[in-house]
Amino acid sequence: MLDLKFKLRPGHTSEREWMKPAPPESVFWNSTYACNFHCGICFTDGGLPGEDELTTEEALKMVENLHASGIQDIKVSGGEPFRREDLTTILIHMAELGLTARIASNGSLLNPKILKKLRNETLTKSFQISLDTLNPNLYRKIHGTSAETLKSVLESLRNLLALGFHTTVSVRLTRQTLPEIPRILNRAHEEGWATVTVHLPLNTKRYQGALPQQTDYLSLLRPVFEHFSKLPAHWLVETYIPWVQYHPEIQRCEETIRFVHRGCYAGRGHLTITPSGFITPCVCLDVKAAFIGDVRKDSLIEILKTSPLCRMMQHPDQHGICVDCPYVRTCGGGCRAAAFAITGRLDGQDESCPLWQKKNRLRDKNERVK
């Protein structure tokens, strides 16, 4: 997932070397495909539950195996995770093992009773609520739900804060949502939301209304960077984009904004478990070509060590990716999900990379001169 996290208040960050493989301390679990929204852009193509999703018994066993492997934290998403009727049971079992949870949700099903139970009986640390706009009519169009739902989601955000959960929101960047982001940043400052995460959509599943994958998203975000830098309270921008430090817009903004570049841990220190139990390097690669194991029978630690796809992501230059680029060992050969979206190949070229685009522009200019 290509993310920029606009952090308004001091909290946790890390500047460890992300290209270096490390034992995973956390995993993503997309717990179900079921969702009560129907967003045009969805990295799991959520809607109806899958026929072969993990049963309660299988999910509890998975949690135990993850704990035994040294996992300390599970990032739970969907679909909409609270469409799983057994989710609270699973979260309670995680707490019994000492496992913390961070949950990504659309926020529409978070009634006070559920939230109090999670606060009292689980080790849920934080919530990220999908909030692409504060305009009810646009919310209806983007999220595929009623305009009135926005009011209940904003109430859920207030309840989360009142119960002491680390509370954040997320926005998928499109031409519709771009002008909404400064308003959401303002609301975050007013309400006390810690972070506004901007997702740059990866067009691997459902991407209705998304911009082309090669779009220069970071240049589009210039007014957002400028707005963030002028907020009364702003801490830093954490980036999860492999090549981001080489983008001229980021280099320009570094004069006024502190950036922490965390790269991409997919296939290096993070793995994702799909609702059906398949293991994939990236939360945005819920595609058969990227399945590297099955949580019902395979060890995540062994897969991270032995999977050919993980090895390719850890050592891209040894697998024909960006072999003539001097920055490949610091940018990881770009984003494999973006490359797959553009070329249909996991070892394809990430044509959204600014270094690759600059090289191509120079080549085209030289050819015209000839």
Side-chain angles (χ1 to χ4, degrees):
M1 187 176 291
L2 301 177
D3 286 347
L4 297 103
K5 294 183 179 291
F6 291 81
K7 298 197 167 191
L8 283 78
R9 290 165 179 77
H12 172 74
T13 190
S14 171
E15 299 189 52
R16 80 170 178 87
E17 185 182 350
W18 62 270
M19 273 290 289
K20 185 177 180 180
E25 296 179 354
S26 67
V27 297
F28 288 92
W29 178 37
N30 291 331
S31 57
T32 181
Y33 292 114
C35 189
N36 56 325
F37 285 11
H38 194 78
C39 304
I41 298 173
C42 181
F43 58 78
T44 60
D45 197 15
L48 296 175
E51 294 181 358
D52 57 349
E53 293 184 1
L54 295 176
T55 65
T56 302
E57 183 180 354
E58 289 172 332
L60 294 174
K61 183 65 175 177
M62 173 195 73
V63 166
E64 292 168 0
N65 289 340
L66 292 175
H67 174 256
S69 298
I71 299 298
Q72 301 172 19
D73 178 75
I74 300 178
K75 301 170 185 174
V76 183
S77 185
E80 168 50 45
F82 287 93
R83 286 296 304 274
R84 272 196 80 117
E85 295 181 357
D86 60 359
L87 183 63
T88 302
T89 299
I90 296 166
L91 292 170
I92 290 172
H93 190 52
M94 286 171 53
E96 291 169 348
L97 297 169
L99 289 170
T100 56
R102 286 177 277 175
I103 300 175
S105 166
N106 62 39
S108 65
L109 304 178
L110 300 177
N111 61 60
K113 181 179 179 181
I114 289 176
L115 292 181
K116 288 178 182 177
K117 191 174 185 66
L118 295 180
R119 179 80 284 175
N120 295 329
E121 299 181 39
T122 79
L123 295 179
T124 302
K125 297 196 300 184
S126 67
F127 279 84
Q128 178 179 280
I129 304 300
S130 181
L131 187 71
D132 290 282
T133 176
L134 294 168
N135 180 308
N137 288 326
L138 185 56
Y139 185 91
R140 172 181 59 81
K141 294 176 182 177
I142 292 174
H143 291 273
T145 187
S146 69
E148 292 74 24
T149 304
L150 175 60
K151 183 178 180 180
S152 66
V153 168
L154 292 172
E155 182 63 26
S156 292
L157 283 162
R158 285 188 282 272
N159 291 336
L160 287 167
L161 278 170
L163 287 167
F165 290 107
H166 184 77
T167 305
T168 74
V169 299
S170 64
V171 185
R172 290 159 290 198
L173 179 58
T174 68
R175 292 206 181 277
Q176 284 184 307
T177 63
L178 177 59
E180 301 295 309
I181 299 174
R183 289 189 278 272
I184 293 172
L185 283 167
N186 288 346
R187 189 66 172 265
H189 172 67
E190 295 165 4
E191 297 276 355
W193 308 334
T195 301
V196 175
T197 295
V198 176
H199 299 309
L200 312 187
L202 285 160
N203 303 344
T204 56
K205 296 292 279 190
R206 191 166 74 227
Y207 51 94
Q208 180 183 352
L211 293 163
Q213 195 65 67
Q214 298 94 325
T215 299
D216 184 358
Y217 280 109
L218 296 180
S219 291
L220 290 178
L221 283 169
R222 173 173 288 194
V224 175
F225 289 128
E226 291 177 350
H227 186 85
F228 179 74
S229 71
K230 296 174 183 176
L231 285 174
H234 65 273
W235 183 37
L236 56 81
V237 177
E238 220 174 47
T239 69
Y240 292 81
I241 305 172
W243 38 255
V244 71
Q245 67 266 39
Y246 304 113
H247 194 286
E249 183 61 28
I250 298 300
Q251 294 170 345
R252 184 190 72 84
C253 290
E254 284 178 333
E255 296 179 4
T256 55
I257 297 172
R258 178 189 170 194
F259 286 88
V260 175
H261 302 308
R262 302 196 64 182
C264 173
Y265 294 95
R268 301 175 179 99
H270 281 175
L271 293 172
T272 294
I273 301 164
T274 74
S276 302
F278 293 115
I279 302 166
T280 176
C282 172
V283 71
C284 291
L285 279 174
D286 186 352
V287 295
K288 188 175 181 180
F291 293 164
I292 53 179
D294 186 330
V295 76
R296 295 177 178 92
K297 59 183 181 180
D298 297 317
S299 160
L300 264 70
I301 303 300
E302 288 303 310
I303 284 175
L304 199 60
K305 292 179 181 177
T306 62
S307 160
L309 179 54
C310 288
R311 287 202 299 269
M312 182 181 77
M313 299 174 86
Q314 295 162 13
H315 307 284
D317 52 323
Q318 297 177 14
H319 294 80
I321 298 171
C322 299
V323 291
D324 59 346
C325 179
Y327 303 102
V328 65
R329 292 184 181 274
T330 54
C331 82
C335 172
R336 292 301 91 209
F340 184 82
I342 295 167
T343 69
R345 295 171 57 94
L346 291 167
D347 62 351
Q349 176 63 53
D350 175 5
E351 296 176 12
S352 62
C353 169
L355 296 171
W356 184 88
Q357 292 179 350
K358 181 179 179 180
K359 177 183 174 183
N360 269 23
R361 287 194 298 269
L362 183 60
R363 182 194 63 194
D364 293 345
K365 179 180 179 180
N366 290 338
E367 287 179 354
R368 287 195 297 270
V369 171
K370 293 178 182 178

